[in-house]
């Protein structure tokens, strides 16, 4: 008679034992997950009861981090030198909100169905030779310290309907002057003697910051259409080159009543940067010397494309409510237009605009 097999060796018993072990493991795992989910709930509820967030003040962590990065990127610490005593206090982080930056200007349609230099040049020259708004008081004769020995006609509009004359009277005006080793500073001196706060940016001066009188400062800085990248070795040579928007932020200046520029063919790219970054909206009047004997720094394309680009830049100013009120053709300069003696054009013009929305 065969020997009877014990019950615990049977396959049914083993299957039941395995099922029980799996069920026990599942129970333990579920209890552990419940505990981890329930533990933070009372703390969160208590925090909510203690200090409920005000409506509209919540900020996503990613947005907060991005806002912090924007502040750090745009506002300099000033550790390498201040802007001079009493001159330009640094703006605290998070002061001015940066707007969305455009990457290119909107080009105007061609002057004719078939692009040609003749049509583009005639349209451009007519545009810069025609005042868009009248200004009855443009000279500085009434201002204290003005001298008739000024070498160039830098004209600003002093009509009562615009804000500049009122800010001069209240000693609250501010002038930025961009230049490259130009000895003609009579305009800046006259504005400073009238009580305006004047900052002249010239990379050729010896000291980083020089104060001359109560209201006139010289800065060894060059205004460009881009900031240097400190991670690139070649850019370290241009550490004193910055965008105007960066300078405004570092100096803590929200507005400029007058921006004067004589930067020897860098004006087109600088003006483009001011438009694309909306810095131009912080300026009351523009007085620019523009050069047309060659395309300018980093302006490329054939002649008709270059002139179309110039014209489009000036039309962008008009779209931002700037109006041309004075134009001066320099007859003493070579009469050249894109390296040609053509169109009865001078190689240099001084143009003045007023921001009609300026308060």
């Amino acid at each position: 008679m065969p020997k009877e097999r014990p019950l615990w060796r049977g396959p049914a018993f083993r299957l039941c034992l395995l099922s029980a072990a799996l069920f026990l493991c599942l129970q333990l795992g579920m209890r552990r997950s419940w505990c981890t989910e329930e533990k933070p709930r009372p703390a969160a509820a208590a925090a909510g009861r203690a200090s409920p967030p005000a409506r509209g003040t919540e900020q996503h962590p990613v947005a907060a981090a991005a806002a912090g990065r924007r502040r750090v990127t745009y506002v300099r610490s000033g550790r390498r030198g201040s802007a001079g005593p009493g001159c330009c206090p640094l703006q605290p982080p998070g002061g001015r909100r940066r707007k969305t930056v455009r990457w290119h200007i909107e080009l105007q349609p061609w002057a004719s169905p078939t692009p040609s230099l003749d049509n583009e040049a005639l349209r451009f020259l007519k545009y810069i030779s025609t005042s868009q708004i009248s200004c009855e008081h443009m000279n500085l004769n009434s201002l204290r310290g003005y001298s008739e020995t000024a070498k160039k006609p830098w004209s600003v509009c002093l009509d009562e309907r615009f804000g500049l004359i009122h800010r001069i009277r209240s000693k609250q005006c501010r002038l930025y002057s961009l230049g490259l080793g130009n000895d003609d500073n009579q305009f800046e001196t006259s504005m400073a003697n009238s009580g305006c706060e004047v900052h002249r940016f010239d990379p050729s001066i010896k000291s980083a910051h020089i104060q001359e009188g109560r209201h006139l400062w010289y800065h060894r800085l060059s205004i460009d259409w881009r900031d240097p990248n400190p991670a690139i070795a070649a850019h370290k040579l241009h550490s004193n080159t910055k965008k105007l928007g960066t300078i405004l932020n570092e100096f803590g200046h929200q507005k400029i009543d007058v921006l004067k520029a004589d930067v020897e063919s860098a004006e087109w790219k600088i003006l483009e940067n001011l438009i694309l970054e909306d810095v131009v909206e912080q300026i009351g009047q523009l007085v620019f010397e523009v050069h047309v004997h060659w395309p300018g720094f980093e302006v490329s394309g054939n002649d008709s494309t270059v002139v179309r680009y110039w014209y489009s830049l000036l039309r962008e100013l008009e779209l931002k409510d700037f109006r041309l009120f004075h134009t001066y053709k320099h007859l003493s300069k070579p009469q050249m237009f894109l390296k040609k003696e053509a169109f009865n054009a001078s190689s240099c013009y001084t143009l003045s605009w007023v921001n009609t929305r300026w308060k």
Side-chain angles (χ1 to χ4, degrees), residues 228-240:
N229 187 346
I232 301 176
H235 286 196
K236 293 181 180 179
L237 300 175
H238 307 284
S239 58
N240 289 331

Side-chain angles (χ1 to χ4, degrees), residues 59-75 93-94 98:
Q59 187 176 16
H60 195 279
V62 175
R69 284 195 298 269
R70 287 196 296 268
R71 290 195 294 268
V72 172
T73 302
Y74 201 62
V75 181
R98 296 184 66 190

Side-chain angles (χ1 to χ4, degrees), residues 40-260:
R41 288 180 184 176
R49 288 193 301 270
S51 56
R55 182 172 297 179
T57 59
E58 300 91 334
Q59 187 176 16
H60 195 279
V62 175
R69 284 195 298 269
R70 287 196 296 268
R71 290 195 294 268
V72 172
T73 302
Y74 201 62
V75 181
R76 307 289 184 179
S77 64
R79 293 179 181 176
R80 295 187 179 180
S82 64
C87 162
C88 319
L90 292 180
Q91 184 184 15
R96 185 171 71 247
R97 182 177 63 86
R98 296 184 66 190
K99 299 181 180 180
T100 304
V101 177
R102 295 163 55 196
W103 295 105
H104 59 83
I105 65 167
E106 297 295 331
L107 291 175
Q108 292 292 315
W110 292 99
S112 58
T114 303
S116 70
L117 175 59
D118 287 358
N119 291 322
E120 296 301 322
L122 292 175
R123 178 177 67 171
F124 171 78
L125 291 171
K126 180 181 179 181
Y127 190 84
I128 66 173
S129 302
T130 306
S131 297
Q132 299 169 333
I133 194 171
S134 63
C135 181
E136 297 180 3
H137 305 92
M138 289 186 293
N139 59 55
L140 303 178
N141 292 334
S142 60
L143 300 183
R144 175 187 169 191
Y146 176 76
S147 172
E148 294 287 352
T149 60
K151 299 178 182 178
K152 293 184 180 181
W154 303 107
S155 296
V156 292
C157 188
L158 301 175
D159 283 2
E160 295 286 341
R161 55 178 170 157
F162 301 121
L164 178 59
I165 186 61
H166 303 286
R167 294 177 65 83
I168 291 176
R169 290 170 181 164
S170 61
K171 312 297 183 184
Q172 295 180 347
C173 61
R174 179 178 294 125
L175 164 71
Y176 271 30
S177 174
L178 319 182
L180 296 171
N182 195 333
D183 294 331
D184 181 17
N185 61 351
Q186 182 59 52
F187 176 77
E188 291 83 351
T189 302
S190 298
M191 294 293 284
N193 290 338
S194 301
C196 287
E197 176 187 332
V198 178
H199 298 271
R200 182 171 173 83
F201 299 90
D202 187 344
S204 66
I205 65 175
K206 296 180 179 179
S207 301
H209 306 283
I210 301 174
Q211 183 174 357
E212 185 178 289
R214 290 186 56 190
H215 304 290
L216 178 59
W217 285 269
Y218 292 85
H219 307 282
R220 191 176 60 203
L221 289 170
S222 176
I223 306 300
D224 204 353
W225 53 94
R226 63 196 163 209
D227 285 328
N229 187 346
I232 301 176
H235 286 196
K236 293 181 180 179
L237 300 175
H238 307 284
S239 58
N240 289 331
T241 298
K242 298 179 182 180
K243 296 186 296 185
L244 182 62
T246 303
I247 296 293
L248 284 171
N249 206 34
E250 289 182 349
F251 283 12
H253 294 163
Q254 298 292 329
K255 294 182 177 181
I256 306 173
D257 293 282
V258 180
L259 175 63
K260 171 205 166 193

Side-chain angles (χ1 to χ4, degrees), residues 7-34:
L7 182 61
W8 58 272
R9 288 187 176 181
F13 179 78
R14 291 180 179 179
L15 183 60
C16 290
L17 188 63
L18 181 61
S19 300
L22 288 174
F23 180 78
L24 182 62
C25 290
L26 287 173
Q27 289 290 330
L28 290 175
M30 292 176 65
R31 287 184 180 181
R32 185 169 298 177
S33 65
W34 289 342

Side-chain angles (χ1 to χ4, degrees), residues 271-305:
L271 184 58
E272 180 186 49
N273 170 257
L274 300 182
I275 292 171
L276 294 181
E277 295 191 356
D278 285 332
V279 179
V280 73
E281 296 181 357
Q282 300 171 243
I283 302 171
Q285 297 191 27
L286 293 171
V287 188
F288 269 52
E289 185 174 279
V290 300
H291 302 84
V292 298
H293 60 286
W294 72 296
F297 293 102
E298 295 194 16
V299 178
S300 59
N302 59 35
D303 288 349
S304 58
T305 301

